[in-house]
Every structure is written in C-alpha cells, then in structure tokens.
Amino acid sequence: MRDKWPLRKEDSLRRRITAAYLTFATVSSVFFAVIAALAVEGIEVRLVDERLEEVATWAGPRHAGGLPVEMPAGLSYHVGADIPRSLRPLAEGVHEVTVEGVDLHVLKGRNAEGEFAVVDHDSAYEKIELVVYSMFAVAFLGFMGFAVLLGRFLGNRIVNPIVELAGAVDAGAGELPLQERGDELGLLSRMIASHTSELQEFLDRERFFTGDVSHELRTPLTVIAGAAEVLLARTEHDPVLHAPAERIYRAARDASDVTSMLLRLARSPERLEWVPMSAQALAQEEVARCQALVSGRPIELRYGGGNDFTLLGVRELVLAAIGNLVRNACQYTEHGHVEVRLEGRSVIVEDTGPGLPPAARARLRGEPIPSGARGSSGTGLGLGLVQRVCAHLGAKLVLREAVAGSCIEIRFPQALGGAVTPHVNSSLTGT
C-alpha cells in the first residue's frame, strides 16, 4: 500500500493532530503568560510602590517635626542634601535602579522640606518575581510536552484504525475491520464494505457475461474459419474467388483471436498460466504475422530492433496486446511505415498514419475526454482491448509524443503481473 500511494510525513493526519494540539498549547500559554505578567506587575505596584508611598507619607511629617524616623530594615528616608548623589538625577516617581550591583526601588518626590527619596535597599519582591517567572517557564514547558504527548496519543487513537482499515482494503480482505463500531469509523468501514461488495458483484457479472458471450462466439467462428479454409483450398487456382475467401478466413481468425482474448480476460489473473518470454521473439512474431496486412500497399512493416528482455506473463494476452497495436497501425496508415521496436522494458509501435483522435488520446492519458470529441474512430476495438490486457497483466499503456502519426508504448514492469501471484509453467522454466 505504501509503494502504490506513498504518504508524505507533512500530510500525515497524526502529525496534523499533534501540531494542532501544540499550537493550541502555545496560544493558551502565551495568553496566560500575558495575564500572569500583568498580574505580577500589578502586585509589584501594590506591594512595592504603594509601600514606598506609605513610608513617605508617614516619614515626611515626622522628619519635618524633628521627630526620629525609624525605618524598617532595608528602608531609608532621605531629604535634600542627604539624598545620595546617584539618586539625585532621578525624576519624581517610582524607579527601579541598580547602584553598585544592588537593585533598589526608589520613590522620588517633593514635600514641604523639598526633595525627598525613599529607598528600598532590601526588597524581597525581586526574588519572588524571579521564582514566579521561573515557575511559569517550567509550567509552559510541561504544558507543551503534555500537549505533544496528548496529541500523539489521540492521533494514534484516530489514525491507527484508519491505517488498519486502509491495509485491509488494500489487501482485499473479505471482512473489513471496525464495522462493529458505532462511530464515524464504523460507518466508513460499513460504507466501504457495501460499496466494495457492489463493485465485486458488478465485476463478476461483467466477467461472466464476457466469458459466456466469448464462449458462444467460438463455435460459429470456428465454423466460418473451417469453411473459409475449404474455400481457400478449392479456389487456389481461381484468383477471383480466392481473394475473398482469404479475407473471410483472416477476418474469422482475427475475430477468433479477440474471442480467445476476451475469454482469458474474463478469468482472474491468478488463474492464468504465466510463463517467461522473450520480448524480441514476440515482437518479431507479430511483425511477421501482420505482413499480409501491408502486402501490395505503400507501407513498410518492420522490426526496428532494440535490446531484448525477458518478461513474465500470459503468452496469448501479451501477443494479443502487441498484435492489436500492430494491426491498428497497419489498418489506419495509408503510406510510410509501421515500426515495432524495443526500448528498455517496453515494446513500442510507431506509425506514420493520421494519429489518434482527441478522444482516444485523452483516454490513454487518463484525461477528461474533450466535449467536442466524437467516439474513438480511428482506434478500432483493439486499443480498448489492449488497455484491458495491460491492466489485467500489470503493464502500462503509454501514448508517446510523435512528430507524425502515433507512437504507443507497452511498458512492462520488472515482474509483469506483480500485483498477483502468477502460476508459472515449470516445464518452461526448467524447474
């Protein structure tokens, strides 16, 4: 499943859930941190600033009356020239300054005696403030870590069942998991199972219909081919009758080949006999077989060479795929050439004909069919059958760009039919 539909980490639902929780935790922490900072600053105003003002209100009249001003430890009251030099430039109001490495809270003001300063030399609030902010930092880190763990936990709880369901669908399991659940995942599993069952029933009906029709056609086609052989033998010395008899025989043989191909397509891939084959031998065989189609016409049907490779598949189906492309090219090419060649692990059929119509080109490329396109004239029945054969065997039909005419490629994978378990004839493989 991962090879066919790779999952990018940045698109992972589990990762998105974790990121969402982390974002929520960050925004929440910043919000509460701002509130906490405002609260801490407000407390500082209440505890320190108002305390200094209360000291000034109490100490000012006593000092003016000549009474002793006894201050608590860490506090001092200065008037006029008694104010330390380092504090004299300060404006009126509350200030936080550092003098000789000591943090001070200073209230500068003016009363009947002139300028005064109340100095808090030993306020414990700075230490309390440091502890509070440290606790907020630890709480923030803990909250972020908890958000990551919670996000991953919930992500796993949500994503793992989906991955399990996807794996069961990819493996073609007869019974999908999660169907007994009453939540959305259970609903999804039941809907997939129902839709898969409907598709399977449709495919079975199509396979049986194709097989039955092909089987019913074999008998009359065999009769026609046999009768054509008799006519060929009896009209060998009568060119006027021999030519129509030969066309009848060739048409019956082609129709019989299509019928045989449909019968094989109606079977499951694992029920077919898979054998190793030479791509060069198959291509040369079809080129030789179709030479009669260009006889007497200004067309050259040739094998263009290329490095041979071994493929694994059903011989009749691979021959039918190559042969249909060659016959299509010969049928619709008026002059020039039809060339079959090998490139890499591909068999390529190129011609100098009129090219494929827009509808057929869009179909091969998996694009929407243009609204003005009509049918698929110019492709014959063979192109659609080749697509089905390639899909049945695991190969890929590709339309390549060509200067003139058309160029169609059958691209074989390293192991043809890798999606199924092929049955290889041991007598052909030497095992």
Side-chain angles (χ1 to χ4, degrees), residues 207-349:
R207 184 180 295 115
F208 292 146
F209 175 78
T210 303
D212 292 342
V213 171
S214 301
H215 184 73
E216 292 297 327
L217 289 176
R218 294 189 69 178
T219 300
L221 288 174
T222 302
V223 173
I224 294 173
E229 287 186 4
V230 174
L231 288 176
L232 283 174
R234 293 186 177 182
T235 60
E236 186 176 357
H237 301 292
D238 187 351
V240 176
L241 296 177
H242 188 77
E246 185 177 5
R247 286 198 299 271
I248 294 173
Y249 175 74
R250 188 165 58 245
R253 186 188 63 184
D254 292 343
S256 180
D257 291 342
V258 172
T259 302
S260 299
M261 181 169 56
L262 290 174
L263 277 173
R264 286 177 171 80
L265 287 175
R267 299 178 183 176
S268 299
E270 61 269 14
R271 296 177 59 187
L272 298 173
E273 186 178 7
W274 297 65
V275 295
M277 295 166 286
S278 165
Q280 177 178 312
L282 296 176
Q284 290 177 337
E285 180 178 340
E286 286 303 316
V287 169
R289 183 180 180 185
C290 295
Q291 287 295 337
L293 298 177
V294 298
S295 178
R297 300 171 59 192
I299 305 172
E300 179 189 5
L301 174 58
R302 64 187 184 225
Y303 173 68
N307 295 327
D308 190 18
F309 61 90
T310 300
L311 56 90
L312 185 66
V314 182
R315 178 178 175 82
E316 292 81 359
L317 290 181
V318 178
L319 279 174
I322 299 174
N324 271 277
L325 290 182
V326 176
R327 285 193 293 273
N328 244 20
C330 293
Q331 180 179 356
Y332 295 103
T333 300
E334 299 296 334
H335 56 81
H337 70 270
V338 175
E339 181 180 87
V340 182
R341 65 180 185 272
L342 307 181
E343 286 186 11
R345 291 190 60 81
S346 300
V347 177
I348 299 174
V349 179

Side-chain angles (χ1 to χ4, degrees), residues 60-76:
R62 292 183 66 85
H63 189 276
L67 299 175
V69 181
E70 297 180 359
M71 308 296 294
L75 287 174
S76 59

